[in-house]
Amino acid sequence: MAVLETPVKVHETVVCDRREPLPGIVILGLHAPALARAARPGQFVMAVTPSGERVATALGIYEAAGERVSLMLVVVGPRTREIGLLARGDTLCLAGPLGNGFDLPALGKNVVLVAGGVGIASLLLPAQHLTAGGATVHLYYGARTAGALVDDELFEALGAGVSLATDDGSRGHHGYVTDLLKLRERPYEAIAACGPSPMLRAVAAIARTQGVRAQLSLEETFACGVGACWGCVVPLARTSAQAPSFPAPAPGETRDYVHARICREGPVFWSDELRW
């Protein structure tokens, strides 16, 4: 999976709609025609808080169509709280699109999506593109409780199959979403997943056992979002097409991996190329 070279621009957007499907989870619809045209599934933006008093925060691109882009955010601190309080007509400055998203053609025509918690925010746009291209899609979606499951009906509206899991058994399977993936018997070509690291590691192990490849969107807190600070790295096979060419290996270097920046070379990587 080659690194995308998407032109990064600063976009002055205007809030055109806002909804809060669950307390503390906000979806902002933004008028951003240039960003909507440029965005690819799995990419993200750095959102500058309107006050300018806090550093930018990374948010996955949830939807991108026509002249509208939407962002899903969980209100967990002052930055997300400030952005989450925006109302229709307010402005929001975004830098993006950023990162290396999903390689959809490489996933094939029978694809499993796996979302953990707010990882769902990175999978709606891939689902839309895949189903529009004629692929069969099934979503496995897990969260702590039924009250943390968001917008699964949007995937059903696309014609995707949906299987749910909750840690407390309040909706769907009682247990981890990866339990359902282990039980899947119907063959599929590849997996695309986003969620917390323990879930992604479990998905990678299942993919290896079942003989399929998986693209994983890693969750991380980004300081710069453009690869300048090297603060969000992960070990990646040196032979990967996403492996950075610098820094150059030291004389006599024998490691088979390099450190790739999640915000620049990622956030999406092939699971079999990660050296966790």
Side-chain angles (χ1 to χ4, degrees), residues 46-130:
M46 296 297 288
V48 180
T49 55
S51 68
E53 297 178 357
R54 302 179 178 91
V55 296
T57 189
L59 297 171
I61 299 172
Y62 191 47
E63 301 165 286
E67 298 187 345
R68 178 181 176 275
V69 165
S70 75
L71 309 172
M72 179 189 290
L73 63 145
V74 181
V75 179
V76 293
R79 287 182 295 175
T80 49
R81 184 176 302 112
E82 186 176 348
I83 296 170
L85 289 173
L86 293 176
R88 184 170 182 172
D90 289 338
T91 59
L92 181 63
C93 184
L94 305 174
L98 296 165
N100 194 46
F102 291 100
D103 183 353
L104 299 185
L107 292 173
K109 292 295 185 180
N110 193 336
V111 184
V112 163
L113 307 179
V114 185
V118 294
I120 195 71
S122 295
L123 293 178
L124 180 58
L125 193 55
Q128 291 172 338
H129 282 244
L130 286 166

Side-chain angles (χ1 to χ4, degrees), residues 17-272:
D17 56 83
R18 178 191 185 278
R19 62 188 178 96
E20 194 167 351
L22 296 170
I25 297 180
V26 176
I27 297 171
L28 286 180
L30 305 164
H31 184 256
L35 180 58
R37 289 192 298 270
R40 299 293 179 266
Q43 291 187 300
F44 66 95
V45 295
M46 296 297 288
V48 180
T49 55
S51 68
E53 297 178 357
R54 302 179 178 91
V55 296
T57 189
L59 297 171
I61 299 172
Y62 191 47
E63 301 165 286
E67 298 187 345
R68 178 181 176 275
V69 165
S70 75
L71 309 172
M72 179 189 290
L73 63 145
V74 181
V75 179
V76 293
R79 287 182 295 175
T80 49
R81 184 176 302 112
E82 186 176 348
I83 296 170
L85 289 173
L86 293 176
R88 184 170 182 172
D90 289 338
T91 59
L92 181 63
C93 184
L94 305 174
L98 296 165
N100 194 46
F102 291 100
D103 183 353
L104 299 185
L107 292 173
K109 292 295 185 180
N110 193 336
V111 184
V112 163
L113 307 179
V114 185
V118 294
I120 195 71
S122 295
L123 293 178
L124 180 58
L125 193 55
Q128 291 172 338
H129 282 244
L130 286 166
T131 55
T136 299
V137 174
H138 193 103
L139 171 69
Y140 291 95
Y141 180 19
R144 295 186 309 276
T145 185
L149 294 170
V150 183
D151 284 356
D152 53 279
E153 68 277 4
L154 297 184
F155 290 82
E156 293 178 340
L158 295 172
V162 175
S163 298
L164 304 175
T166 50
D167 294 352
D168 63 2
S170 54
R171 188 177 177 198
H173 169 70
H174 186 177
Y176 295 140
V177 69
T178 48
D179 297 341
L180 295 173
L181 185 61
K182 289 178 183 177
L183 295 173
R184 184 178 174 90
E185 296 180 355
R186 185 177 176 181
Y188 58 97
E189 295 177 62
I191 301 170
C194 184
S197 291
M199 186 206 83
L200 294 180
R201 290 171 186 264
V203 169
I206 294 168
R208 184 168 57 250
T209 299
Q210 297 185 347
V212 299
R213 297 194 78 191
Q215 293 180 25
L216 310 181
S217 180
L218 306 190
E219 292 185 344
E220 184 57 270
T221 299
F222 300 137
C224 71
V226 295
C229 70
W230 287 79
C232 60
V233 297
V234 65
L236 184 71
R238 191 180 293 277
T239 55
S240 170
Q242 292 171 255
S245 58
F246 62 96
E253 177 65 74
T254 59
R255 291 184 306 178
D256 68 347
Y257 68 90
V258 294
H259 285 100
R261 298 158 293 184
I262 296 174
C263 71
R264 178 66 180 90
E265 284 77 43
V268 180
F269 299 95
W270 286 108
S271 64
D272 57 346

